[in-house]
Amino acid sequence: MKRSLLAFAGATALIGASASTPVAASTPRLADILGYSFVGELTAAEHVDRIAWVETVRGVRNVWAAAGPDFRPHQVTRYTQDDGQEITHLRFSQDGGTIVYVLGGSHDANWPAEGNLAPDPANSPVQPKVGIWTAPFDGGEPRLLSEGDQPAVSAKGVVAFVKDDQIWSMPLDGSARPERLLFDRGKDRTPLWSPDGSRLAFLSGRGDHDFVTVFTDKTHPLVYLAPSTGRDDDPVWSPDGQRIAFSRQPGRGGAPEPLFQFHPRPFSIWTADATTGEGRRVWASPVTLDGSYPQNGDGLGLRWMADDRLTMITTLDGWEHLYALPTAGGAPRLLTPGRFMVEHVSASRDLKTLYYAANTGPAKGDDDRRHVFSVGIAASAPRELTSGTGLQWSPVAAGRGVALVAADAQHPPAVALADGKALQPVHVAVPDYPARSLVIPKPVSFAAPGGFTIQGQLFEPAGGGAKHPALIFVHGGPPRQMLLGWHYMDYYSNAYAVNQYLASRGFVVLSINYRLGVGYGRAFEQPDHWGPTGGSEYQDVLAGARWLQAQAGVDPARIGIWGGSYGGYLTGMALSRNSDVFKAGVDFHGVHDWSLDIGEEAGHPVERYEKGDWQQLMKTAFEASPDAQIANWRSPVLLIQGDDDRNVRFDQTVDLARRLTQAGVPFEEMVIPNEIHGFLRYDSWLRADRATALFLEEKLRP
C-alpha cells in the first residue's frame, strides 16, 4: 500500500497491471501471496489536510498517516506482533495533532461473546481488553486512555466512549481519569458530539425500541428526541449544532409476518430540536420493498449537508443510490441515477459535495469493480474521478483532491490521491510483492434457473495445456460481491489471494456472484425461496459448475468447491446434493442446519402464542440445509472453523462432524481455538489456506 516501486497510470490502475503483463514462470509460495498489505479505516481530519489509515502486513497492524500538501506517509504506531488485536475507529483531534483508535475487539460480529470477552486468537494467558488509545500524529509512544469502544472526540478535547453499555468520558490528554459521563437506563451506543463539543448525542437502546438522546451536563436532564415506540438510529447534528436528524423504524412486535417472503421495512426521517426534544417527520418511505430501510454497505448513511439538505442511501429505484432531502420536507431527489450501487460515501469539508464508490464505468466488467465519483448536492451530475481496469474505494477529502484506496487484479490495496488528472501513490507497503505472478481474472456470465444471469470471475492457470481440475468459489455474507481484483474487505482479499494461489497450482477457479449478493440491484438481492426458505441460490452454484464442465480447458470429472460462512453453507449444499458433480470441498465456518439458526432472526416465535408459519418454516429450513441430505453426501470435505466464532455458531460444525461420522463420509477438520469468524491472525489464515490448497490438490490432483 504505498509509494516507491508502485506508480499509478492516468486516473485508472497501477502501472504494470494491464492484461498484457507477463506472468512469472515460477510458482509463488502461498506465504508470499498472503504477504500482501491491506488498507482499512482510511479517514481524514475535519479541519486540516491530514489523513490516517490502518495497514496490515502478515498480521501486523499499524496506523499510518500523511499530511498535505505533499502527503508523504509516515508510520504512527510501531506494533510488531501478529497478535490478532484489530485496530479500528480511527479519529482525529480537532487540530489533527492526535489520532485516537481502538485496539482489540471483534467489530464485524453478529453477537458479543459470553461475558463480553474480547477475542484472544493468540492464546495469550493474559486476558485481552478492548481499549481506547491515542498516538501523536507525528509519531511517538501510544498511550492507553481507557478500556472502551466507539470513541468520539469533541472540539473541546474530550473523548466520549462506550464501556459496559454506558457512556464514559475522559480528557484527550489523559489529565484526568475516565469516568462514567451520565446515567441512562438503556444500553447506550454511538456517542456523537455536537460541532462545538458542548453536547453529546447517543442512542439509548431499550430492546424493542430505541431513543436518540442528548446529554448537556450533569445539571440538565437528558433530552429524548420525539420519543416513540419506534427504533431510532443514524443521528446526525446540524452544522449549527441546534438540531439532530435521525431515522425511525417501527418497533419490534406486531402480528407474525409470513416467513417465506421478504416484507417492506419502511422508515422515516425526522429532525428534532436538540434542546427541547420536539421533533417533526420530514419524510416517510413508501411501504414497498424498494422503499425499505437499506441493509447493505453504508446502511442509510444519513448526513446533514449544506443549505439544510439531508442526504441518504436508499433503494427507491431498486438500486442503492444517493438522494438529497430538504429538511423542510418534500420528495427526495435522486443524485446518482443508473444501474449500479453506491458505497463508501464521505462528504467534502464545505458539505456541498459527496464522494462515493460505485460499480459502474465504461470498461468491460465495471459492474464487478469499484470506481470513485463525486456529486454536488445541488442540481449537478456525478463526476467520474477514477476509471479503467483498476479498483478504487473509500474516498475522503484530502487537500485539493481526494484520498482513496486503489488496487487492481495484481497489485494489493494502497492509499492514493486523486486530483482529477492522475492517481498518485501515497505508500507501497510491500514493494517486493510478487504481483506479476498473479493472473488477470476474466469477467464471465452464465444463465441460471429462475431467469437469473449470474456473473463471476474466472481465474485460469498460465500456460494452457492439458485439461485442468476446476473449483467453484462461493463468497459469504451473502450481501457481498467478489470483484475483478483485490477486495475492499480483508476477508475477501484473503479469498482473492487464495484463488490466485490455486490458479498458480493449476486449478481453474470460478468465483460466483450468486443471487442474494449486492451490486446487481435490490431484486437480485432478494430472490424468492432463498436460504432457509428454499436455498434457491444453490441453483446458481450448480449452474456455474455445469458451465465450468463445458469449458475446453477443464476436466469435467474433477470439479471441487470451497467457501466461507454463507459460502460454507453453499459448499455443504453442493457436496450433499451433488457429489456426482463436486468431488471435494472445503467448508469454512458454514451453516449446516438452518433450523438451529433462525429462531432469533424470526423473533423467537416459539415463545409466543401466535406461531404464524413457524413450523412450516422450520421444516423447510431443515430441508434447505446440508444436514438434510447427508445420505447423499459422498465427496470428502475439509471443515475449518475457529471456536470463538461470533457470526456462525461453532455447534454448526460440531453437529455436521457427528453426522458425517455416522454416515461414513470422509472428512478432515481444522479447529483453531479462540479464533473468530474472520480470522484475526495471519498465522491462522496461512494454516487454514495451506490446508485448503493441500486438501484440494490431494483430492483433485492426485
Side-chain angles (χ1 to χ4, degrees):
M1 311 189 165
K2 305 348 171 163
R3 202 187 307 257
S4 82
L5 302 181
L6 198 58
F8 286 68
T12 59
L14 308 178
I15 280 181
S18 69
S20 61
T21 299
V23 176
S26 61
T27 300
R29 300 184 311 152
L30 177 61
D32 293 333
I33 289 187
L34 293 183
Y36 60 88
S37 171
F38 185 81
V39 170
E41 298 283 326
L42 179 62
T43 189
E46 187 174 354
H47 301 290
V48 292
D49 288 340
R50 294 185 170 187
I51 60 174
W53 63 93
V54 176
E55 202 166 88
T56 305
V57 181
R58 297 180 185 265
V60 179
R61 300 166 172 86
N62 275 292
V63 178
W64 282 71
D70 59 347
F71 288 98
R72 295 184 63 83
H74 65 273
Q75 191 170 341
V76 175
T77 62
R78 298 284 174 176
Y79 299 115
T80 60
Q81 300 299 313
D82 175 21
D83 58 5
Q85 299 302 306
E86 64 182 13
I87 299 176
T88 58
H89 293 80
L90 262 63
R91 304 287 187 266
F92 275 99
S93 61
Q94 177 87 347
D95 62 2
T98 303
I99 297 174
V100 179
Y101 59 95
V102 172
L103 182 64
S106 174
H107 292 91
D108 192 37
N110 290 343
W111 61 81
E114 185 176 351
N116 273 332
L117 294 176
D120 181 23
N123 306 324
S124 171
V126 179
Q127 181 181 342
K129 303 284 188 178
V130 181
I132 312 289
W133 290 73
T134 67
F137 175 85
D138 293 328
E141 192 66 26
R143 183 178 69 243
L144 175 65
L145 287 184
S146 172
E147 291 181 28
D149 207 346
Q150 302 178 39
V153 185
S154 81
K156 297 183 177 182
V158 178
V159 181
F161 56 92
V162 176
K163 178 182 176 182
D164 300 327
D165 296 320
Q166 293 293 303
I167 305 296
W168 289 58
S169 73
M170 71 175 298
L172 177 64
D173 62 9
S175 58
R177 296 176 60 84
E179 65 174 8
R180 186 167 165 178
L181 183 62
L182 57 96
F183 166 77
D184 177 62
R185 188 170 62 85
K187 290 187 175 182
D188 299 338
R189 64 188 191 277
T190 320
L192 183 68
W193 288 105
S194 61
D196 66 358
S198 64
R199 290 185 284 188
L200 183 80
F202 62 94
L203 292 173
S204 175
R206 303 300 177 98
D208 53 6
H209 64 287
D210 302 288
F211 299 138
V212 176
T213 312
V214 176
F215 166 80
T216 301
D217 56 43
K218 293 185 178 180
T219 67
H220 289 79
L222 297 177
V223 177
Y224 297 96
L225 304 186
S228 75
T229 61
R231 290 175 291 134
D232 297 345
D233 204 346
D234 305 298
V236 289
W237 286 92
S238 61
D240 63 6
Q242 300 304 306
R243 293 171 292 166
I244 293 176
F246 57 94
S247 68
R248 174 165 290 171
Q249 299 179 69
R252 295 179 176 85
E257 294 178 319
L259 297 169
F260 282 86
Q261 61 196 64
F262 290 96
H263 299 278
R265 296 289 181 254
F267 67 101
S268 55
I269 303 298
W270 286 66
T271 61
D273 186 291
T275 300
T276 67
E278 295 180 359
R280 57 180 292 272
R281 191 177 72 180
V282 175
W283 175 79
S285 71
V287 186
T288 63
L289 290 176
D290 284 347
S292 296
Y293 185 91
Q295 300 295 313
N296 303 324
D298 291 353
L300 186 65
L302 188 65
R303 284 176 172 79
W304 199 311
M305 302 290 287
D307 302 324
D308 250 6
R309 288 187 176 97
L310 302 172
T311 60
M312 58 186 174
I313 298 175
T314 76
T315 57
L316 291 175
D317 66 348
W319 296 81
E320 290 88 349
H321 279 154
L322 281 165
Y323 287 79
L325 177 67
T327 59
R333 179 170 56 85
L334 177 63
L335 297 176
T336 56
R339 295 177 62 82
F340 57 84
M341 73 175 295
V342 166
E343 291 182 307
H344 308 158
V345 182
S346 67
S348 62
R349 286 185 192 164
D350 63 7
L351 301 179
K352 294 182 178 181
T353 301
L354 292 172
Y355 305 110
Y356 63 93
N359 62 325
T360 185
K364 180 182 178 181
D366 270 347
D367 46 5
D368 286 357
R369 296 190 183 95
R370 296 292 184 272
H371 298 305
V372 168
F373 300 80
S374 67
V375 64
I377 61 170
S380 62
R383 185 166 70 95
E384 181 182 82
L385 301 182
T386 68
S387 62
T389 56
L391 303 94
Q392 306 85 30
W393 60 83
S394 297
V396 295
R400 290 175 293 179
V402 175
L404 49 79
V405 183
D408 59 35
Q410 294 177 309
H411 300 85
V415 173
L417 294 174
D419 61 6
K421 298 178 181 179
L423 284 181
Q424 299 296 329
V426 172
H427 183 214
V428 178
V430 187
D432 59 347
Y433 185 77
R436 292 167 65 86
S437 67
L438 272 56
V439 302
I440 309 292
K442 299 177 180 178
V444 299
S445 62
F446 52 89
F452 286 92
T453 297
I454 305 303
Q455 296 187 190
Q457 304 84 41
L458 187 67
F459 300 74
E460 295 178 299
K467 290 182 178 291
H468 296 273
L471 296 166
I472 295 287
F473 170 74
V474 270
H475 65 73
R480 304 283 185 266
Q481 181 189 31
M482 295 305 291
L483 307 173
L484 286 164
W486 292 88
H487 206 278
Y488 52 83
M489 293 181 65
D490 54 357
Y491 186 104
Y492 296 107
S493 271
N494 175 81
Y496 181 81
V498 175
N499 284 335
Q500 286 282 0
Y501 179 72
L502 291 168
S504 78
R505 300 295 296 173
F507 287 96
V508 175
V509 183
L510 175 60
S511 176
I512 292 178
N513 285 332
Y514 54 88
R515 72 189 78 174
L516 281 176
V518 300
Y520 311 110
R522 199 273 312 158
F524 189 88
E525 298 168 16
Q526 296 183 336
D528 293 334
H529 311 301
W530 71 283
T533 68
S536 64
E537 61 278 12
Y538 172 63
Q539 298 173 91
D540 306 339
V541 177
L542 184 58
R546 299 297 189 196
W547 182 89
L548 265 181
Q549 288 179 316
Q551 303 308 302
V554 170
D555 182 345
R558 291 188 291 162
I559 304 288
I561 185 170
W562 81 283
S565 195
Y566 209 94
Y569 159 67
L570 289 171
T571 295
M573 290 284 280
L575 299 175
S576 64
R577 279 155 174 74
N578 287 104
S579 281
D580 58 325
V581 175
F582 299 96
K583 301 302 183 181
V586 179
D587 172 349
F588 280 74
H589 37 241
V591 173
H592 310 118
D593 181 357
W594 281 117
S595 69
L596 288 175
D597 194 60
I598 60 176
E600 186 170 333
E601 295 280 336
H604 300 285
V606 72
E607 300 172 2
R608 304 178 62 168
Y609 174 78
E610 295 175 289
K611 300 297 190 295
D613 51 5
W614 171 251
Q615 290 301 325
Q616 182 184 357
L617 176 64
M618 289 291 283
K619 179 177 183 296
T620 301
F622 179 73
E623 292 172 348
S625 302
D627 281 0
Q629 298 291 331
I630 291 292
N632 299 322
W633 190 325
R634 299 185 303 279
S635 298
V637 64
L638 169 61
L639 307 176
I640 300 176
Q641 190 167 13
D643 85 326
D644 190 21
D645 197 319
R646 305 173 186 198
N647 295 72
V648 173
R649 300 192 187 279
F650 188 67
D651 63 6
Q652 291 279 346
T653 294
V654 175
D655 181 71
L656 178 63
R658 291 290 306 276
R659 292 174 186 266
L660 293 174
T661 299
Q662 293 163 357
V665 178
F667 74 95
E668 299 175 23
E669 60 183 29
M670 173 180 282
V671 173
I672 307 180
N674 303 318
E675 262 292 11
I676 64 168
H677 192 69
F679 299 159
L680 289 168
R681 300 188 68 221
Y682 167 82
D683 180 68
S684 300
W685 280 120
L686 180 60
R687 290 167 52 204
D689 294 340
R690 180 179 288 132
T692 295
L694 290 174
F695 182 85
L696 293 171
E697 287 199 39
E698 175 187 332
K699 304 305 178 185
L700 299 174
R701 293 185 57 194

